[in-house]
Amino acid sequence: MQALKANIIEQIETAGGRHDEPQIYSGIPGDNGLCGGPDSISWEINGDFASVAVAGLGAILMEVLHPSVMDGVFTQSAYRTNPLSRARNTLGYVLRTTFGTTEAATQVIERVKLVHSRINGTRGDGVSYRALEPDLIAWVHTCIPWAIMRAFERYNRPLSLSEKNNYLREQAVIGRLGGAEWVPESVAELDDYVERMRPMMAFNDQTRQFTDFLLGTSGDVETSRYQRFDSWMSLQGSMALMPDWARKMTGTYHSEWVDRLSFKQNEKLKSKLLRWALPTLPCKTLALKRVNGEPATARQNNDRTNKSSEAILS
Ligand code: HEM
């Protein structure tokens, strides 16, 4: 069993990074960071790696249903040439902004804003955009806590309405610091906002190519038949967290009984395995010690390089 656990942890770290840097998660005693600290619902939800992992693909696909976001990512991102780095940096952003020291969290937000300040363009249909447009930042921001919250309540434990409202309110701090003027801070606002955004969403040729990439069928990366099947199952399962209209638009809609018998079962099993192997994220352990003023203890297996320190986030 220990070997299986070690193997799962290794796979998680290879794909997503370790996220245990003391310079980011340890620091001044009592520093709760940006999302409220140990008593916040953000620490419980974002500390559940299983929920964050299951939500990831769905959040990404929802983000790029906005054609301006899709164009920015399609034309100006290194996702094709360096997908692992992108995945680690995006996960690192979520974890640092929740569990990092106030200074480290603010720094990463500023660095990513700098990256975004250089991203702009004109879509195929002639619409110009800038990544730092507050409305675009608001949409991308919203997709992340929205998907994670849905994964948590489906595969971890039910959440009360006030817990969900608190989570969105805590996470909104990150969205605003990232450049949004307004982001939904309650379930009612989220539902209303998604309905307002829905007419702007599209599944165009760029989205099709991007989806093919996520599924390992674009030819950019060599994939085995098993890897393609696994990616397909994961994408269907993650999109099963999102509304039916988005699933229909992206070709990931299945009937309720197919969902129940296959994708939801698969995600449930995956969540249980991930939670069993990694019940507490190292960054949350370090952050808890920081807040409580306890010394951070070095990890046993420091023989591997810390793969979460990547490019602009390091
Ligand atoms: C709150 C909203 C957003 C968050 C949290 C976010 C997150 C990130 C992060 C963490 C990175 C750095 C990743 C890396 O270094 O690999 C990044 C880069 C990038 N983002 Fe965003 N992003 C947001 C909004 C947007 C929007 C609205 C667009 C497009 C219109 C966009 C397009 C890009 C592109 C093209 C890159 C460069 C990636 C690369 O070099 O591969 N982002 N974003």
Side-chain angles (χ1 to χ4, degrees):
M1 282 312 225
Q2 282 312 310
L4 176 64
K5 200 177 256 193
N7 186 280
I8 296 173
I9 293 177
E10 178 147 15
Q11 283 185 43
I12 294 172
E13 291 180 350
T14 303
R18 280 181 34 178
H19 308 286
D20 60 355
E21 304 92 323
Q23 68 274 24
I24 289 162
Y25 299 106
S26 303
I28 304 161
D31 179 1
N32 279 328
L34 293 179
C35 290
D39 296 333
S40 68
I41 189 79
S42 284
W43 276 42
E44 182 182 356
I45 296 179
N46 289 1
D48 182 33
F49 176 72
S51 298
V52 178
V54 166
L57 284 174
I60 289 171
L61 196 46
M62 290 306 296
E63 289 168 13
V64 298
L65 284 186
H66 195 301
S68 297
V69 179
M70 185 68 263
D71 195 82
V73 171
F74 193 82
T75 60
Q76 291 157 74
S77 158
Y79 78 85
R80 274 201 188 85
T81 47
N82 209 347
L84 273 188
S85 165
R86 286 289 289 127
R88 285 178 197 140
N89 285 349
T90 305
L91 177 63
Y93 188 84
V94 172
L95 299 179
R96 284 175 200 208
T97 51
T98 299
F99 299 108
T101 61
T102 303
E103 194 190 349
T106 314
Q107 253 176 24
V108 76
I109 292 172
E110 288 309 316
R111 277 184 208 157
V112 169
K113 268 169 94 171
L114 193 65
V115 172
H116 287 145
S117 70
R118 299 181 202 118
I119 292 163
N120 53 67
T122 305
R123 293 171 4 195
D125 59 3
V127 175
S128 304
Y129 65 87
R130 288 177 304 112
L132 274 186
E133 272 168 46
D135 288 355
L136 294 186
I137 295 290
W139 175 248
V140 174
H141 162 81
T142 300
C143 293
I144 300 167
W146 179 26
I148 296 174
M149 184 171 81
R150 290 184 81 123
F152 186 89
E153 59 175 344
R154 184 171 294 167
Y155 299 116
N156 191 319
R157 70 168 180 85
L159 292 166
S160 69
L161 180 62
S162 78
E163 284 177 319
K164 289 191 253 191
N165 289 343
N166 285 342
Y167 178 64
L168 292 171
R169 190 174 38 74
E170 288 165 10
Q171 291 293 306
V173 173
I174 311 300
R176 280 193 298 269
L177 286 172
E181 276 161 13
W182 179 91
V183 288
E185 294 194 38
S186 67
V187 173
E189 285 183 2
L190 173 67
D191 291 346
D192 194 48
Y193 173 64
V194 170
E195 277 311 302
R196 284 204 312 275
M197 294 302 287
R198 189 174 154 179
M200 288 171 223
M201 301 295 133
F203 191 84
N204 56 28
D205 191 52
Q206 289 178 336
T207 341
R208 190 188 50 70
Q209 291 187 51
F210 184 78
T211 308
D212 286 347
F213 179 82
L214 294 180
L215 293 172
T217 55
S218 63
D220 291 289
V221 183
E222 206 175 308
T223 49
S224 66
R225 192 178 293 188
Y226 169 75
Q227 282 170 324
R228 290 192 293 276
F229 176 70
D230 187 47
S231 301
W232 184 79
M233 285 296 287
S234 298
L235 188 67
Q236 314 303 306
S238 194
M239 281 303 288
L241 299 165
M242 306 322 293
D244 283 354
W245 63 261
R247 299 181 69 195
K248 286 179 181 160
M249 192 179 249
T250 53
T252 57
Y253 177 78
H254 303 274
S255 65
E256 179 56 30
W257 69 267
V258 173
D259 270 352
R260 255 194 229 163
L261 290 175
S262 51
F263 308 117
K264 287 184 183 171
Q265 283 303 328
N266 190 47
E267 299 300 270
K268 191 173 167 183
L269 180 67
K270 199 196 292 174
S271 306
K272 280 194 170 159
L273 263 178
L274 289 174
R275 203 168 291 122
W276 167 74
L278 197 59
T280 312
L281 278 163
C283 59
K284 185 173 175 182
T285 307
L286 285 174
L288 271 170
K289 289 189 171 173
R290 174 187 83 232
V291 174
N292 295 332
E294 294 165 23
T297 39
R299 254 182 62 163
Q300 294 297 300
N301 58 342
N302 263 339
D303 52 328
R304 287 195 294 273
T305 52
N306 189 333
K307 293 182 181 124
S308 58
S309 296
E310 293 275 345
I312 59 134
L313 296 193
S314 55

